[in-house]
Amino acid sequence: MRATSFICVLLLSCFASFAQEGFKVVPLGVKGGNIDGNMSAYMVAPAHSNDFVCFDGGSVSQGIEKAIANGVFNVKPDVVLKKYLKAYLISHPHLDHLSGMIINSIDDTVKNLYGFNTCMEVIKNHYFNWQSWPNMGSDGNAPALKKYKYNVLAEDAEISVENTQMSMKAFKLSHSNPYESAAFLVANNGDYVLYFGDTGPDEVEGTGRMKAVWQAVAPLVKAKKLKGIFLEVSYPNEQPDKKLYGHLTPKWFMKELSQLAELSGLENVKGLNVVVTHIKPAGNNEELIKKQLLAANTLGVNLIFTEQGVAFDLK
C-alpha cells in the first residue's frame, strides 16, 4: 500500500512538472522592418505541444524553412504552416507585422486571426479586399473566402484560443498616439507569456497604457508565473524622443521594466526572461542597442537576443 501511494504521489508530481514547463518559442522573423523575409513573427506553444500561435506575422515561410534547417522541426514546411500554426495574434496592421501572413494565406489552411477592431478593419478593408490581395477573410468584399476568421478582441477580457490549450487577454498600447498596437498575455496551465507589439514609452506617448499592462502582470511576476516578456527596442539611445514614432530605446526599455520592478518587487524581476524584439537593423544599430541594453541592465533581467529560426524555451 505504501509503495502504491508513493508511486501515485510520484506520478502526480511528474505530471504537474510536465504540465507546467513554460513555453517554446520559434522566431520566424526578428527584425524591426527593412529586412524583408526577417520581420516580426514569433511562434509560441506550451512545452511538449505543437499547437502554436504566432505573435504577429511579418515573416512566415522563410522563418519556417530556417527553423527546419536548424532542426527545430523534422517535417515539411507546409506541415508547420498548415497543422502546427493554429492562429495569428496581430498586434497592429503595419506590413512588417503581417506581410508574411498575407502572402502565405493562399497556401494556408483555415485559421483564426485575433486583434483589436482597428487592426481587423485595416486587414479587411486594405489588404484582404481583392485589390491588394484576395479576400481570405471571413468578412468584407465579396466573395469572402473565409479562410481566416476575424476575432475582434475586447480589452482585458480572457478568451480561449481556438484549437489550442491556451487562453489570452489583450491590452491596448500606444504606437505613436493616437495609433494603436496591442500586448497579448497568453496563459497555459498556470504559466504565462507576455508579448508587446510596437509601443512607445508612457512618458512620451502620454497614455499610461504600458503601466496598465505592468499592473496587470505584476502579481504573476511575484508568483513566478510569468515565464517571459517580449519587448521591443527599435532605436539606440541617440534617437531623439520626438523621432521615436511609437517605439522604445534601451533607456526607455529599461525605464518601462523599472515600472514593473516597482510594482512587483526588484527581487522578483531579477532573472526574468525578457526577449528583445524589433531592433531596426540600419547601420550599427543592432550592435549599439545590445551594448546599451547590457550596460543598463541594473535590474538583472535575463535579456534574450533572438535569431530567425533558432528556437528557445521560456521556463
Side-chain angles (χ1 to χ4, degrees):
M1 187 62 131
R2 288 181 180 177
T4 302
S5 298
F6 174 77
I7 291 171
C8 288
V9 170
L10 183 62
L11 287 172
L12 287 171
S13 175
C14 290
F15 178 79
S17 175
F18 179 85
Q20 295 189 6
E21 291 189 2
F23 301 85
K24 58 183 178 183
V25 181
V26 183
L28 301 184
V30 304
K31 307 296 185 184
N34 303 336
I35 303 277
D36 55 350
N38 190 3
M39 298 184 292
S40 297
Y42 298 86
M43 289 177 64
V44 176
H48 311 295
S49 171
N50 280 325
D51 293 336
F52 288 87
V53 297
C54 197
F55 291 133
D56 285 326
S59 295
V60 176
S61 57
Q62 186 165 321
I64 290 172
E65 289 175 2
K66 287 209 170 186
I68 290 171
N70 288 329
V72 177
F73 302 113
N74 60 357
V75 294
K76 293 181 178 180
D78 64 333
V79 174
V80 179
L81 176 67
K82 295 178 180 180
K83 294 186 177 181
Y84 291 179
L85 207 168
K86 303 296 186 182
Y88 288 100
L89 281 55
I90 304 298
S91 65
H92 65 292
H94 287 171
L95 281 171
D96 59 329
H97 291 258
L98 52 72
S99 61
M101 180 197 79
I102 292 170
I103 291 171
N104 284 275
S105 63
I106 291 175
D107 295 323
D108 204 354
T109 51
V110 174
K111 281 185 175 55
N112 284 284
L113 301 188
Y114 295 91
F116 285 121
N117 184 62
T118 53
C119 179
M120 297 292 100
E121 286 295 311
V122 171
I123 294 173
K124 177 172 66 177
N125 295 324
H126 297 287
Y127 298 120
F128 289 151
N129 61 4
W130 288 107
Q131 294 175 330
S132 299
W133 205 252
N135 183 8
M136 298 295 173
S138 55
D139 191 12
N141 290 354
L145 301 180
K146 300 183 179 181
K147 184 172 281 189
Y148 289 167
K149 178 185 176 183
Y150 296 120
N151 293 269
V152 176
L153 300 173
E155 191 168 18
D156 204 27
E158 185 168 8
I159 65 168
S160 296
V161 181
E162 290 186 28
N163 303 313
T164 79
Q165 63 195 64
M166 294 176 280
S167 61
M168 72 165 172
K169 288 183 179 181
F171 305 85
K172 289 185 178 180
L173 301 174
S174 184
H175 183 27
S176 192
N177 194 12
Y179 300 107
E180 286 183 359
S181 182
F184 301 109
L185 179 65
V186 169
N188 177 67
N189 283 334
D191 289 340
Y192 295 80
V193 63
L194 175 65
Y195 175 85
F196 283 89
D198 292 358
T199 183
D202 279 347
E203 288 186 38
V204 175
E205 298 289 318
T207 61
R209 286 183 169 174
M210 291 199 73
K211 186 174 183 179
V213 181
W214 298 137
Q215 289 172 329
V217 303
L220 303 178
V221 175
K222 289 180 181 179
K224 304 297 182 182
K225 292 182 177 181
L226 187 63
K227 302 304 178 181
I229 298 172
F230 292 75
L231 186 59
E232 73 114 287
V233 55
S234 297
Y235 301 107
N237 287 332
E238 288 72 14
Q239 188 82 358
D241 288 350
K242 65 182 180 180
K243 292 186 177 181
L244 289 180
Y245 309 115
H247 293 293
L248 300 176
T249 62
K251 176 190 75 173
W252 287 116
F253 180 102
M254 288 300 175
K255 196 162 186 177
E256 287 297 338
L257 287 175
S258 294
Q259 284 201 76
L260 177 61
E262 289 174 8
L263 292 165
S264 61
L266 179 60
E267 70 280 5
N268 295 314
V269 169
K270 186 175 182 180
L272 178 65
N273 294 317
V274 182
V275 182
V276 180
T277 70
H278 207 265
I279 295 177
K280 291 184 179 292
N284 67 337
N285 274 5
E286 293 178 271
E287 179 184 352
L288 186 55
I289 287 170
K290 184 174 182 179
K291 181 179 179 180
Q292 290 174 349
L293 283 174
L294 292 171
N297 187 17
T298 56
L299 297 174
V301 298
N302 178 35
L303 294 171
I304 299 173
F305 298 92
T306 60
E307 183 179 342
Q308 185 181 39
V310 178
F312 60 93
D313 296 321
L314 295 174
K315 296 182 179 181

